[in-house]
Amino acid sequence: IFSCMEVNDTNPLNNLRYTLKKSGKYMVDAVILFAGNINYNDETGRVYFNANPNVQHLLDNREKYLKPLQDRGMKVIMGLLCNHDRASVANLADETARYFALELKALCDAYKLDGMFYDCEYCSTGNYPGFVSNGAQAFSRLMYELWKLQPERWNIAYCYSATSRAVAIDGVQPGEFCHYGLHDYGNSYDMSGNYPGMPKSNMGLYSQELNLGRGIASLGQLRSMRNNGYGSHMVFAMDPTKHSWRDDNVMSNCAQAFYDDEVVIDPHMYEKDW
């Protein structure tokens, strides 16, 4: 279970609230911090990673907000999102992808992150010098270059827009350098054609948006997904301080469908305190 969390106004420690009754295991396996940005610097002509004040606060205070998640077995993943300029996760020339991958590795090293989540939304791409067409080839190249630098960390694709599919790079199939593919809300089709070589267990079906209640999956749909061999799932915008009734119900269904278990919910909620 991936919890992709809007961290501008939500404390990621809320992922500690949900455990399984029989095993005592924490339900969330990976927390995606949504999101850092890829931006373009007009003065230097380079792309760079940009963290807004909320994201940067969590990174600077990882001992308080991130390490407790990792100490309990959860991966902490940095979301990478376009930010209304010409730079995209899917339009970098090969040379640019190589040096930007070095920056992303340095980010993961500095803050002990477990990987990157790629989302191609809010882009203002166009026919700019030094950039290529927004699409699967460039997106795949960026993932591939980062995978070469840190194969032990995860590359996770949001199956949407220009990141909806990946292609082989230098003879390596996407299923090797893209570790997980997570569907847009409600989608449930097999992604073998989108990310060749990716096992069904790493395809995330029936993603659910908890803030607006979009794509909320039924217990039957989640059970069907599991029974058909699909082993990954994403919940987006969990925030029990705003809509605990929805969050708790969704996590209860996940516990039943994926683990044949009941969810145990810690009544303590973690408010944003920065």
Side-chain angles (χ1 to χ4, degrees):
I1 294 178
F2 290 87
S3 173
C4 186
M5 181 166 277
E6 287 266 23
V7 295
N8 281 341
D9 54 5
T10 304
N11 192 326
L13 294 175
N14 280 299
N15 290 284
L16 300 175
R17 297 185 68 238
Y18 302 97
T19 54
L20 295 169
K21 184 176 182 179
K22 295 176 186 175
S23 67
K25 176 185 180 294
Y26 286 91
M27 284 191 62
V28 172
D29 296 288
V31 179
I32 300 170
L33 306 177
F34 194 79
N37 297 112
I38 178 172
N39 273 113
Y40 177 74
N41 186 317
D42 289 294
E43 294 182 0
T44 65
R46 296 173 70 90
V47 298
Y48 65 100
F49 176 82
N50 179 35
N52 71 26
N54 292 293
V55 173
Q56 191 62 52
H57 182 86
L58 298 178
L59 294 175
D60 291 340
N61 296 276
R62 70 169 310 277
E63 293 289 326
K64 177 178 180 180
Y65 297 105
L66 306 183
K67 188 174 183 295
L69 305 176
Q70 293 171 320
D71 287 347
R72 290 160 176 82
M74 302 179 200
K75 301 283 190 182
V76 175
I77 309 294
M78 176 56 67
L80 185 60
L81 181 68
C82 307
N83 195 23
H84 307 283
D85 68 18
R86 68 186 67 180
S88 162
V89 298
N91 76 339
L92 305 183
D94 289 357
E95 183 179 353
T96 308
R98 292 186 186 100
Y99 88 69
F100 188 55
L102 289 169
E103 182 172 340
L104 295 180
K105 182 186 186 303
L107 174 80
C108 291
D109 288 345
Y111 297 106
K112 298 180 174 63
L113 301 171
D114 298 299
M116 302 296 299
F117 170 78
Y118 304 85
D119 184 3
C120 188
E121 298 183 79
Y122 312 110
C123 307
S124 298
T125 56
N127 187 22
Y128 294 104
F131 291 85
V132 299
S133 297
N134 206 46
Q137 180 72 32
F139 167 53
S140 302
R141 171 61 67 179
L142 177 59
M143 285 196 295
Y144 173 79
E145 294 297 339
L146 186 56
W147 168 75
K148 285 199 302 180
L149 296 172
Q150 50 180 38
E152 75 285 0
R153 290 178 169 131
W154 290 355
N155 277 330
I156 304 165
Y158 186 41
C159 188
Y160 181 82
S161 183
T163 56
S164 63
R165 67 184 187 93
V167 298
I169 300 293
D170 295 350
V172 180
Q173 290 296 319
E176 189 165 351
F177 59 77
C178 180
H179 302 94
Y180 291 88
L182 304 178
H183 260 310
D184 190 26
Y185 310 126
N187 286 341
S188 59
Y189 59 83
D190 185 273
M191 287 187 270
S192 297
N194 300 65
Y195 306 103
M198 180 180 290
K200 291 171 69 173
S201 59
N202 291 28
M203 299 177 190
L205 277 56
Y206 290 114
S207 296
Q208 306 185 69
E209 203 272 20
L210 302 186
N211 183 39
L212 301 176
R214 296 171 54 199
I216 300 301
S218 69
L219 180 59
Q221 288 173 319
L222 298 178
R223 280 178 169 157
S224 175
M225 171 191 137
R226 176 191 173 187
N227 291 339
N228 286 313
Y230 298 99
S232 301
H233 183 67
M234 181 180 78
V235 294
F236 180 79
M238 176 195 293
D239 189 343
T241 67
K242 297 177 181 176
H243 35 74
S244 62
W245 60 274
R246 181 180 291 146
D247 295 10
D248 294 353
N249 183 64
V250 164
M251 296 304 277
S252 175
N253 281 346
C254 288
Q256 294 176 68
F258 301 149
Y259 303 107
D260 301 317
D261 206 340
E262 297 177 40
V263 64
V264 176
I265 303 171
D266 186 338
H268 176 70
M269 299 182 189
Y270 296 87
E271 301 281 350
K272 179 181 178 182
D273 58 359
W274 68 89

